[in-house]
Every structure is written in C-alpha cells, then in structure tokens.
Amino acid sequence: MLPPPRTSTSTTSSFEPMTRQNTFSSQDGARSLRQSKRASMTALLVSMNARERDLEISDDLARAQRLLRELKVKISSQSKKNFVLEKDVRYLDSRIALLIQNRMALEEQNEVASHLDEAAELQEGEFPNDEKTQKYGNLLFLLQSEPKHIAHLCRLVTMAEIDSLLQTVMFTIYGNQYESREEHLLLTMFQSVLTHQFETTPEYSNLLRQNTPVSRMMTTYTRRGPGQSYLKEVLSEKINSLIELDEMDLEINPLKVYENMIKQIEESTGTLPEDLPRSVTAEFAAEHPQVHAIIDPRLRTLSNLAEGFLDEIIVAVEDAPYGIRWICKQIRNLSRRKYPDARDEAICTLIGGFFFLRFINPAIVTPKSYMLIERNPDDKPKRTLTYIAKMLQNLANKPLYAKEPYMAKLQPFIQRNKDRCNKFMLDLCEVQDFYESLEMDNYVALTKRDIELNISINEVYATHSLLEKHSTDLARDHDSHLAILLRELGSAPAQLPRKDNRAIILPLYSRWESSFDDLTQQLDITQEEILFLEAKSTFVQIIRSLPDRSRALSRPLRLDRIAEAAGTLRNDPVMVRKGIRCVELLSTLSDMGAVERADDYAVLRDEIEQELAHLGSLKDKVLEETLKLEDVYKTIRDHNTYLLSQLETYKNYLHNVRSQAEGVRRPSNVKEKSRELGPYKFSHAQLEKDGVIKRSNVPDNRRSNIYFMFRSPTAGTFVISLHYKGRARGLLELDLKLDDLLEMQKDNQYELELEYVQFDVPKVLALLNKRFARKK
Amino acid sequence: MSYQTRREHNIVVLGAGGVGKSCLTAQFVQNVWIESYDPTIEDSYRKVVNVDGRQVVLEILDTAGTEQFTAMRELYMKQGQGFLLVFSITNMNSFYELAELREAISRIKEDDDIPLVVVGNKSDMEDDRAVPRARAFQLAQSWGQKPYFETSARRRTNVDEVFLNLCRQILQKDSVRDQMYEHHAAQRRPARPRHEKRKRRNRDKCVIL
C-alpha cells in the first residue's frame, strides 16, 4: 500500500515558493487542477508586478528571501566554477604523474603549461555583433524552454562529447540550481531521456545498468548544490565519527581474518601451531572456530553501523532533494508502465539502482571526492565503509545469490531491514509533479523581458556545433523552430583559443511570442477569478508594506479600512494607487457577487489571512534554509580553494621542471633558479595552529623552545630543519623535493615524518607554494 | 604442510557497468551462472589453479562498473598485477571505455607492458553484436599484442581460458623480472630508489626533547 499523497512538496524542494502554493496532486482531480491554475495565476501576477517594480516590499521576509536568493545564485555559479576546475585538476593529475616519472616529451610539457595558464578565470566580454547576440539568444531560449531538443541531443552524442555538453546543460542552460523553472525544465529533459531508455532497453535487468549519457547526466545532477547538501546532512557526521576509529578492524572475509590471525600468532609467539596451516581454502577458514569467534561480534557491529546509516537516511526522507525524488518517481512510473506485472520489490530494485548505487553509496565509499571528509580514510575504516555500502546495496537490491559466500552471514540484517528499506524507496517517489506550474513558469518567462544566461562564447559555439553535427536528426522538420534558427545561424564557428574566450551575459528571448490572452484562454480562468486573485495579491502587498502597528491591521481584518489606509497614505503614491485599486476591486467583485460587503468580504479576507500565515511560516523556513545553504556554500568554497591551491602547486612544479630543462640550453635563467630562498622561521605553535604539524611527540613544556626553518636552496628543492632555542645548529634536517611531496600526495600518503613531529603533506605543499614562489 | 611460499597473484577485473564482470568471475571461481541483477561495489575471491603443472593462488578483485565509483579504480590498479578488461560485444560504449582504463593502468604502473587480456563478453548474443570481432582484436593487438577472447559467462565459454591466459602472462612477467633482478644484482650494487627522502641527523649533539 502506498502512503497517502503528501500535501506539500519535499521540504527542501528549495524553490522560491513566492505566494504560490505548489501543492496540487494529480489525485485530487479537477479541484486541484483549478487550484493549481489559480496558484499559477498568482505567480504570474506577482511576476508582472515585480516587473513593474512599483512596490518594493521590504519587510523581514522580503529581506530574508533576498539574502537566500543571492546565496543560491552564488552557490550555482561557484559550483560551475568547481566543475570546470575539477576537470582541469583531473587532467593535470594524470599529466603531472607522467612528468614526475620523467616520461613526458617537451612538446607535451608545453601543452600542459598552456592548459595551466588557461585555467585562470575567464574575462568578461560580449559577442562581436548584435545580430549574433540576438540569434544565439533566440537559440538558447528555445533550447532552454523546450528541453526535448537537448534530450534528443543527449541520445545522439558519443560518450566523448557528453562531458562538455553536460557542463553547458547542467551548469549553464539549467544552471540556476534553485530556480524552479530551470530545475523543472532540466527534469523534463531527464524524463524524456529516461523514457527513451525504458523504451529501448529490451531486458528489465539491463535497465539503468550501463554507463550511458543518461547515467552520466544523473551523476552530474546529483553533484549539484541540493544533492551535495543532502549528502552532507545525512552522511557527513556518521562517516566522520567512523573514520576516527582508525584501528577498528571489521573485516569479515574469513580468509583475510585467518591470515591476519596467524600472522599475529606468529609475531607474538614466534611459531605457528601445527593445526594452523599457512595457506588454507576459504572453506577451511570459514569453518575455523577461532575465526568464528573473531567474525561473529564484527557481524553484529557492522549490522549496527549499517542500520545507523539506514536510520539516518530513512528519517531524512523529506530532506532528499526534490529532483532526486522526482527521478525515483519517474523510474517507478516508467517501470510500472512497461511491466504492469512487476512487483514492488522489483521496482524498488531499480529505484535502489539509482538512489543507493549512484547517489548514496559512492559517497560512502569515497567520501573525500564528495567533500564529506578532508582526507582519505585509513585502510580499516575504509574497508568498513565499503562493507556498509555493500550492505546497503544488498538491502536495496536483495540479490538471491551471495556472490561472496561470507556475505550470506549478513542475511539477518537484510531480513530485518528490507521492508522498511522498500517502504522508504516507495516513499521517496511520493512527490508531486510540476507540469502545471512549469507550463505557467514558461508563460511567465515569455512575459518577462529579462531572462539572461551567463555563458561563455565557446560554450555557445560548442553547443551550436553539436546541434549542427546532429542537425539531420534534430531538425528533420524544416519548418520547426530549431531548423529555422539553425539555418539562419549558418555553420558553427570554430572554438576560440582560451585567451580569446569570454564570459558573456546573453539575453534570452523567444522569436515566437505568445500573448497573454492565449494564456487566460488556455488556463480556462474566468475574469472574476483574475480580479479575485489580483485583489488578494494587492492586499497582501499592502499589508506587508504597512507598519506593523498600523491600526488598520487589527484583527479581524477589515479590507475596506486597509484599502482606505493605503489610499490616504501621504508621500507614497504607489501605495495610494494600490489602495485606490483595491477599493475599485472590492466594489467590482461585490457587483459580480464574488464577495459580500455584508460579511466584510469574508471569502477574500480568509484567503488573505491564509496567505499571510503561510508567509509567516515561510520566513522561518527561509531562514532555516539560508543556514543550511551557507554551510553548503562554505563547503563548495573550501573545495574551490583546495582546487586552486592544487593548480598552483602543479604550476610551480611544471615551472621548475621547464626552467631546469631550459637552463641547460639557455643559462639566462640560472640566477633566479639557483638563488637560495629563505630561510623562513616558524614556531612549533604556529605550524601546529595552521595544521602543518599533524601530530607532535614533543612534550608540551618544550614546544615553545622548538622552531623550524624552511629554505629552498634551488627551485623545487627544500630543506626543513628542526631547531632548539639556544643551539646554533639544527637538530634534524629533512631534504625534500617537490616531486616527492607531489608523489606522496598522489599516493594518498599524507604524513611526513621528522622524528618528533609529523607534517601534513598537503599543508606543507601549500606553505612551500606560498613562501617560495619563484619568478616565472 | 608445505612451507614453500606460494605466491599470490592479484587479478583485477575492470570494465563498464553491466558487461558481465561478476558473472564471468563467478563462473570461473564457483562454476555458477548468476541470473539476477546485482551491481558490484567491490568483491574479492581466491582460487587456486593449476597452470602448466604449477599451483598458483589467484586473488581476484571484481570491481564496480558503475561510473560513480571510478574514484576507487586507481587503488585497484596499483594493487593488481594482471587485468581483465571486459566489455560487452553488444555495447559499443562499453568497448570505448576500455581505452581509458588501459591508459590509466600503464600510467599508474609506469609500464606499457602489463599482463592484460581484452575480453568481449556475451558472445552468446551474437544477434545483438555491436562490436565487430576484428575491431576488438585490432585494439588488443595495438596494446602490445595482447590477446583478445570472446567469452560467454552464461554458457561458460572461454571463461577459464581468459583467467589462465592472464595468469600465464603474470608468471612470465615475474620470471623475466626475477632474471633481470639477478642479473642486475650480480652486476652492481642495488640502485637507490629514485625518490628517496634523505634525512640527516646531526649525531654530534645529544638530543633530548
């Protein structure tokens, strides 16, 4: 049995609710349809009012909403920057490895160097001419408002082309991650691609299994702001407390346990008893009583841990991002449609194949790449995390056969939790659709004059060139809007060199306008309703603008008094106009019989009170969401700082390598290269505070006597020495090469030993970068 | 009980999602055909095999094909000595994904000649073939004449062959390396590892912290 439909969208649906209620469920039939249209109308009126900018509401709610909006814009643009940076760092990661291994030819070094220079932020600019701006503005508007084109394109491109397309789609065309219209359009695109996949996959078991442009899209989608904050919320604390326990061994593979056991016995006693042979079969190990004794409590601990994760995930069902839940819903609906006989368990398998396999579990297994923790965990906690992910995956999937026989021991965990896990996955699907409001949003977009897109010229050209390449499929109908635009644009220009590429603000608008009259017609809304809604929204605006202690606001509200109060305000012509309009509206509506003067316009008054109450609770929600998002923004910014410092390190390293290579041929640079830099002195306390010293065995009372000197005899080489106050020479000295540090970092070795202290490799790298940057 | 150390050989099974890595592995290790859908995160198996009269212990790591788990691959590549690069003959994209894997392996191993077998699975689904045999063969050849096998995990065709072939390559590589090592050891003192950090301690002073 499905739970009853919810009355509101998920709490973190994160969209600006404005004065619209997003609450309509397809099950309520005509009434809700009507409601949704009314809600949409309100949105339209508000948007039109906003366009006039005639009344700046500046109560607490408005201010909080403004802050939240700004924060969302920042998150969206920052996560795009990170996405681009991550690509650069990934590319350089692999190149630098080759360079360290001295296997890179000079030409390739040059190529990498130019890539590094390119990684800088784009300059702003604009298209060379207005005609282009206009044509591309039309094209991008079409692409944005009719997601079917991009959905189609995603099916046509190769895996090699998909990455740059996704960057443009996820972070530019639908880049405002918290704007309902763009989000909904993006999801519509998902649906179209998913539907196609369901239609073309012959076997149920192959569905959503392969890596396809769709799965790549889903990955990218889950890594946008909302997915990121959700993962942080449900997983971060659990994972962090788990990796603290770096000695907790929860291995349950009998072979591994057995080997570890005899190793320990041998180490402590020096010999191995006769009955413990060195190499054994998995069956022998699994049967061994001593192995049992070790594994049994571990099974319990693992089950408890995994249940803890599951509790957290299930409790937070309403916090799961709307878009991710909506995708789950599409998976459920599409499978029911294609396989009407499929049982819920089978459907849950598919939902789990997205939600757990592609969203939750990767974050559990590699939490660092999801920004949930700062360092890769040690081996033992890492293994534990892998077990937890495997258990959750088994729970979501409930395979009939345990591929690894020892995993069968965790069956009790599965049995105990499978029902609630299934219920959770079905609950995930219980979100409303958005088609009605999307349709509305699109009309709103048509009436607005100020939709813009932050995009780079090369993104525009790349998109154009992909469309051109696949135009025979995409624009088969020569009279379609897309075909017309593509014809007019001609062939796609080549990519600009990065230095000429510019970030531009492209105004979007449609070549094919639709009028407001069509809209009311299509929405089937009467004149009476339009007036009623206008009255409601105007009253709400007036009330929000009146001072809190105004007499006109005493309860119960008297609408005529409020209108009068606004109409007679001094020094505020806008309010006066609103007030007069309200008086008119009240009288017209009374004449139409929609409201009764005799009962103080009770119908309208009650709706206004409802709206105000809704706005009141909205403020708390807005504040709460702002707090959450500030946290997300901080994480994203920290990650950005990390990526930038990584690039800086690579830059310095490459610079050293090249100047050394050049030095052989052109001795001009020798002076700068071979000049000793430093020494710089750091106290123990300072390095400890900055996290450069990770652990220290120096007794507390001696720490103030210890200091460190850092110097760089030549480019790329460093000496760190440990000194004791009053002694002329250092006690310990460590010679370092930048290569070594980079390699350690690459191998996830984060600790650098200097007898009494342990340095943190990335922090040391950052410090060396800062202090010893040489002239290029 | 023999005290002779039996070397373990680490085999890693890599490839895109849904190509049949786990099915192939399960057929080899346990002689079973897994019908159900069960995406892997990370599974490990051990099997003792007889290769040309020698007892060899294989540690087989079956990995996630789901692309969201790629962050784990690097570690697997470091640990593995031989690799099965599996694709499905019915899916071109899964074939394309091999090149990236091969590139990563030789980068991480700092070696272009790593024991490796290219495996085109699902050969029982000839009607749905999307990757021509010749093309896969060519690709394998271009990577230093690596063998290409077409397998069917469902029918257990060529399953043992791919694992045993890989195992032979590993043994071969080991014996070449052993010979080289002995040769070098006889010729000169062992070289200092390339990236050794040098630590100096000023022994002339007594240090009490």
Side-chain angles (χ1 to χ4, degrees):
Chain A
M1 253 310 280
L2 294 178
R6 281 172 215 293
T7 46
S8 74
T9 47
S10 98
T11 49
T12 47
S13 66
S14 307
F15 307 129
E16 209 68 65
M18 311 239 294
T19 50
R20 156 170 39 138
Q21 306 162 267
N22 269 339
T23 53
F24 38 92
S25 132
S26 51
Q27 274 129 313
D28 284 35
R31 200 189 64 84
S32 86
L33 188 69
R34 193 140 203 93
Q35 279 239 279
S36 91
K37 281 175 184 167
R38 290 186 55 179
S40 304
M41 268 316 286
T42 316
L44 183 63
L45 287 169
V46 168
S47 117
M48 283 170 31
N49 279 333
R51 189 152 55 90
E52 290 168 26
R53 291 189 203 289
D54 58 358
L55 189 58
E56 281 279 344
I57 299 175
S58 63
D59 59 4
D60 289 350
L61 173 62
R63 269 192 301 277
Q65 278 178 324
R66 196 153 45 239
L67 269 176
L68 182 61
R69 223 167 15 244
E70 284 163 11
L71 189 58
K72 286 172 172 176
V73 170
K74 282 197 269 186
I75 290 178
S76 298
S77 87
Q78 190 70 58
S79 59
K80 177 179 182 181
K81 280 183 194 157
N82 283 9
F83 181 81
V84 176
L85 266 179
E86 258 170 8
K87 264 202 332 195
D88 283 337
V89 169
R90 251 204 319 274
Y91 166 80
L92 289 165
D93 264 343
S94 61
R95 300 296 112 180
I96 292 289
L98 285 179
L99 200 56
I100 293 173
Q101 295 152 20
N102 301 317
R103 285 172 50 193
M104 197 187 278
L106 189 65
E107 304 87 77
E108 207 181 341
Q109 289 183 22
N110 291 335
E111 190 203 310
V112 175
S114 72
H115 200 98
L116 268 171
D117 292 337
E118 286 167 2
E121 210 160 302
L122 280 187
Q123 285 178 20
E124 286 176 14
E126 50 193 38
F127 269 119
N129 66 58
D130 289 349
E131 200 205 334
K132 259 194 168 170
T133 311
Q134 188 196 332
K135 292 238 162 73
Y136 279 122
N138 290 155
L139 179 68
L140 268 304
F141 183 90
L142 185 74
L143 291 182
Q144 194 192 51
S145 55
E146 295 180 15
K148 62 179 181 192
H149 304 299
I150 289 183
H152 194 172
L153 189 59
C154 281
R155 303 202 302 262
L156 298 170
V157 296
T158 64
M159 287 297 273
E161 288 165 333
I162 191 82
D163 269 337
S164 73
L165 178 62
L166 280 187
Q167 179 187 326
T168 306
V169 171
M170 298 274 180
F171 293 99
T172 302
I173 296 183
Y174 304 118
N176 288 321
Q177 307 180 3
Y178 299 95
E179 218 240 281
S180 64
R181 175 173 172 265
E182 292 189 17
E183 172 83 3
H184 291 162
L185 286 167
L186 177 61
L187 291 176
T188 310
M189 195 219 18
F190 266 127
Q191 189 188 33
S192 152
V193 185
L194 273 174
T195 307
H196 184 259
Q197 193 159 61
F198 269 77
E199 278 165 6
T200 52
T201 309
E203 262 188 88
Y204 191 77
S205 62
N206 280 347
L207 269 171
L208 305 175
R209 194 66 180 81
Q210 294 158 348
N211 298 337
T212 56
V214 188
S215 67
R216 189 66 59 87
M217 263 162 53
M218 289 190 187
T219 319
T220 317
Y221 180 76
T222 57
R223 304 200 69 162
R224 290 168 25 131
Q228 189 66 48
S229 41
Y230 168 76
L231 287 178
K232 207 173 163 70
E233 194 175 310
V234 293
L235 295 180
S236 175
E237 205 185 302
K238 286 243 173 284
I239 293 180
N240 274 298
S241 59
L242 204 134
I243 60 173
E244 293 287 304
L245 308 168
D246 51 1
E247 284 307 314
M248 184 169 71
D249 186 349
L250 293 179
E251 183 59 67
I252 54 165
N253 181 344
L255 270 172
K256 305 251 158 82
V257 172
Y258 181 85
E259 275 167 11
N260 244 326
M261 183 181 83
I262 62 168
K263 203 175 123 208
Q264 275 175 9
I265 293 175
E266 213 177 3
E267 275 170 8
S268 59
T269 64
T271 57
L272 212 53
E274 282 279 310
D275 59 337
L276 292 176
R278 206 175 293 269
S279 322
V280 298
T281 60
E283 293 75 25
F284 180 92
E287 294 297 320
H288 202 281
Q290 276 169 276
V291 173
H292 264 286
I294 295 173
I295 288 180
D296 287 350
R298 289 182 182 177
L299 288 170
R300 279 195 297 275
T301 313
L302 274 178
S303 298
N304 288 339
L305 283 171
E307 266 165 21
F309 274 73
L310 190 62
D311 290 343
E312 198 83 16
I313 293 167
I314 289 180
V315 163
V317 62
E318 295 298 334
D319 293 339
Y322 172 78
I324 286 174
R325 296 183 67 177
W326 187 84
I327 291 174
C328 292
K329 179 177 178 177
Q330 298 317 301
I331 295 174
R332 182 195 69 185
N333 292 355
L334 285 167
S335 3
R336 282 198 180 147
R337 210 171 304 154
K338 183 158 179 181
Y339 308 96
D341 300 332
R343 295 186 312 145
D344 273 356
E345 287 94 286
I347 290 169
C348 284
T349 298
L350 281 186
I351 298 169
F354 167 62
F355 188 79
F356 281 102
L357 185 67
R358 294 188 186 266
F359 182 44
I360 299 280
N361 284 337
I364 293 179
V365 178
T366 52
K368 183 168 166 252
S369 40
Y370 287 79
M371 292 179 267
L372 300 177
I373 57 171
E374 284 183 9
R375 291 292 139 78
N376 279 322
D378 289 336
D379 286 347
K380 283 172 191 157
K382 183 169 183 273
R383 183 73 184 143
T384 305
L385 287 172
T386 306
Y387 270 126
I388 290 172
K390 284 172 73 151
M391 291 164 76
L392 292 178
Q393 195 55 49
N394 279 342
L395 188 56
N397 199 45
K398 292 168 284 297
L400 301 168
Y401 177 76
K403 290 182 287 186
E404 297 167 298
Y406 63 87
M407 288 297 283
K409 295 242 176 177
L410 289 161
Q411 267 304 315
F413 165 80
I414 310 283
Q415 292 309 323
R416 220 171 26 240
N417 293 293
K418 66 175 186 190
D419 287 343
R420 66 175 185 145
C421 185
N422 278 350
K423 177 173 180 307
F424 163 75
M425 286 193 275
L426 293 173
D427 284 351
L428 269 180
C429 303
E430 292 304 317
V431 285
Q432 270 89 26
D433 284 327
F434 51 77
Y435 305 111
E436 294 275 351
S437 72
L438 176 60
E439 192 178 308
M440 201 53 231
D441 279 335
N442 266 332
Y443 283 113
V444 173
L446 284 170
T447 62
K448 279 208 284 196
R449 295 280 154 196
D450 53 354
I451 318 184
E452 295 168 339
L453 203 58
N454 290 307
I455 194 169
S456 75
I457 294 185
N458 272 344
E459 276 183 298
V460 176
Y461 288 172
T463 309
H464 182 187
S465 119
L466 276 180
L467 290 170
E468 190 185 13
K469 183 175 165 194
H470 299 286
S471 61
T472 38
D473 283 306
L474 291 170
R476 211 168 276 158
D477 172 7
H478 283 269
D479 299 324
S480 72
H481 290 175
L482 184 63
I484 295 171
L485 286 176
L486 284 179
R487 230 179 1 257
E488 287 179 8
L489 272 166
S491 62
Q495 289 283 292
L496 301 173
R498 181 104 171 219
K499 69 176 165 48
D500 298 332
N501 192 18
R502 292 286 178 277
I504 57 171
I505 294 174
L506 188 65
L508 301 189
Y509 48 95
S510 173
R511 274 268 294 277
W512 295 275
E513 302 260 348
S514 48
S515 73
F516 191 63
D517 289 346
D518 292 348
L519 174 62
T520 38
Q521 224 166 41
Q522 283 205 13
L523 284 173
D524 185 28
I525 281 181
T526 62
Q527 185 65 21
E528 186 185 307
E529 260 173 309
I530 292 178
L531 291 175
F532 188 89
L533 289 168
E534 189 190 342
K536 180 171 139 187
S537 75
T538 315
F539 269 112
V540 169
Q541 284 180 35
I542 291 174
I543 293 169
R544 286 178 65 187
S545 304
L546 285 171
D548 283 344
R549 272 167 298 166
S550 165
R551 287 233 320 272
L553 295 184
S554 56
R555 295 303 196 265
L557 288 178
R558 295 274 310 271
L559 298 184
D560 44 2
R561 277 211 205 139
I562 294 171
E564 201 180 322
T568 53
L569 265 186
R570 273 175 221 164
N571 307 330
D572 195 340
V574 177
M575 280 286 269
V576 171
R577 213 170 62 229
K578 298 257 168 202
I580 295 170
R581 177 69 183 148
C582 276
V583 175
E584 281 170 24
L585 283 168
L586 284 180
S587 121
T588 318
L589 284 168
S590 303
D591 293 349
M592 290 173 134
V595 290
E596 297 277 345
R597 197 185 310 264
D599 63 5
D600 282 341
Y601 314 101
V603 186
L604 181 59
R605 187 191 62 210
D606 290 350
E607 280 211 23
I608 290 171
E609 283 285 21
Q610 260 178 26
E611 190 70 31
L612 289 171
H614 171 65
L615 290 175
S617 63
L618 191 62
K619 193 183 135 201
D620 292 337
K621 280 202 192 115
V622 167
L623 290 175
E624 194 187 322
E625 199 187 347
T626 306
L627 271 179
K628 263 193 216 163
L629 288 186
E630 268 165 0
D631 199 33
V632 173
Y633 186 51
K634 185 180 172 305
T635 314
I636 297 181
R637 262 199 346 244
D638 289 351
H639 191 58
N640 185 263
T641 314
Y642 162 78
L643 291 170
L644 285 175
S645 81
Q646 198 65 15
L647 277 179
E648 195 52 35
T649 310
Y650 287 161
K651 224 180 236 182
N652 285 342
Y653 176 65
L654 189 70
H655 173 67
N656 289 336
V657 172
R658 297 176 82 216
S659 69
Q660 274 162 21
E662 275 170 23
V664 180
R665 280 170 289 122
R666 261 187 313 127
S668 66
N669 231 359
V670 165
K671 214 171 161 193
E672 168 63 20
K673 196 204 82 178
S674 60
R675 188 162 59 89
E676 166 150 340
L677 298 181
Y680 297 103
K681 182 174 165 181
F682 297 92
S683 67
H684 188 289
Q686 186 187 349
L687 292 184
E688 204 175 3
K689 187 177 131 253
D690 296 345
V692 178
I693 292 181
K694 207 176 172 187
R695 256 184 292 242
S696 172
N697 299 330
V698 181
D700 282 345
N701 55 351
R702 303 285 166 106
R703 289 189 184 179
S704 55
N705 292 328
I706 300 280
Y707 64 95
F708 297 86
M709 300 290 254
F710 284 61
R711 62 195 168 86
S712 166
T714 58
T717 65
F718 304 94
V719 179
I720 304 176
S721 49
L722 185 154
H723 298 258
Y724 197 83
K725 265 186 194 157
R727 284 176 190 258
R729 288 189 60 184
L731 301 179
L732 294 166
E733 210 165 72
L734 185 64
D735 289 1
L736 281 175
K737 280 203 160 137
L738 196 51
D739 309 44
D740 299 337
L741 285 169
L742 285 172
E743 197 165 356
M744 286 175 79
Q745 179 175 266
K746 190 166 73 69
D747 295 342
N748 294 329
Q749 293 176 28
Y750 295 123
E751 286 158 17
L752 182 67
E753 292 275 353
L754 186 60
E755 299 255 1
Y756 301 102
V757 290
Q758 254 177 7
F759 289 117
D760 179 293
V761 170
K763 293 268 163 63
V764 169
L765 268 171
L767 183 142
L768 295 177
N769 269 334
K770 215 165 102 196
R771 287 291 168 149
F772 298 104
R774 283 172 195 263
K775 278 187 219 115
K776 306 279 141 88
Chain B
M1 181 173 51
S2 121
Y3 277 100
Q4 168 202 339
T5 52
R6 284 198 295 180
R7 272 197 206 168
E8 280 171 16
H9 296 289
N10 293 324
I11 287 180
V12 181
V13 189
L14 294 167
V19 298
K21 294 179 294 300
S22 300
C23 291
L24 207 62
T25 311
Q27 271 292 15
F28 176 64
V29 180
Q30 302 160 345
N31 283 303
V32 289
W33 160 246
I34 305 173
E35 182 75 47
S36 63
Y37 156 88
D38 185 9
T40 306
I41 291 179
E42 175 193 295
D43 292 342
S44 69
Y45 305 92
R46 176 178 302 188
K47 185 174 167 97
V48 183
V49 289
N50 190 305
V51 186
D52 309 325
R54 292 168 69 175
Q55 288 258 310
V56 180
V57 183
L58 296 182
E59 275 285 338
I60 302 162
L61 193 72
D62 180 21
T63 68
T66 314
E67 65 185 346
Q68 283 80 356
F69 292 93
T70 40
M72 300 159 79
R73 273 186 188 155
E74 194 157 316
L75 194 64
Y76 299 150
M77 291 179 180
K78 268 181 205 158
Q79 291 162 352
Q81 293 165 283
F83 301 88
L84 290 184
L85 298 192
V86 190
F87 69 95
S88 156
I89 64 159
T90 65
N91 181 321
M92 201 65 192
N93 273 330
S94 72
F95 177 66
Y96 287 140
E97 281 187 49
L98 297 191
E100 198 186 316
L101 290 172
R102 159 46 168 68
E103 205 252 334
I105 292 171
S106 57
R107 172 165 45 90
I108 286 160
K109 289 293 190 191
E110 305 185 25
D111 187 345
D112 289 331
D113 188 33
I114 290 293
L116 180 158
V117 175
V118 180
V119 182
N121 191 35
K122 306 195 186 177
S123 67
D124 51 288
M125 296 169 68
E126 187 59 43
D127 289 351
D128 299 321
R129 179 188 283 277
V131 185
R133 183 189 290 263
R135 215 167 143 186
F137 179 76
Q138 247 173 23
L139 184 77
Q141 283 292 305
S142 73
W143 291 342
Q145 320 241 305
K146 297 297 181 202
Y148 171 61
F149 284 87
E150 296 208 336
T151 59
S152 164
R154 188 193 296 261
R155 304 214 170 121
R156 209 175 196 290
T157 314
N158 271 342
V159 171
D160 291 336
E161 284 78 355
V162 292
F163 281 93
L164 294 182
N165 183 300
L166 185 61
C167 187
R168 284 195 190 92
Q169 287 186 49
I170 297 174
L171 292 173
Q172 166 83 18
K173 180 124 188 158
D174 273 8
S175 72
V176 170
R177 188 178 289 151
D178 289 351
Q179 279 164 18
M180 292 231 311
Y181 179 76
E182 280 158 28
H183 179 71
H184 276 275
Q187 278 202 328
R188 53 175 187 148
R189 64 188 175 81
R192 198 172 62 82
R194 202 151 40 84
H195 301 302
E196 194 190 47
K197 286 178 296 298
R198 294 168 296 284
K199 231 185 275 176
R200 280 199 306 273
R201 184 171 187 150
N202 298 324
R203 293 274 173 208
D204 53 332
K205 301 252 166 59
C206 140
V207 181
I208 306 162
L209 284 181

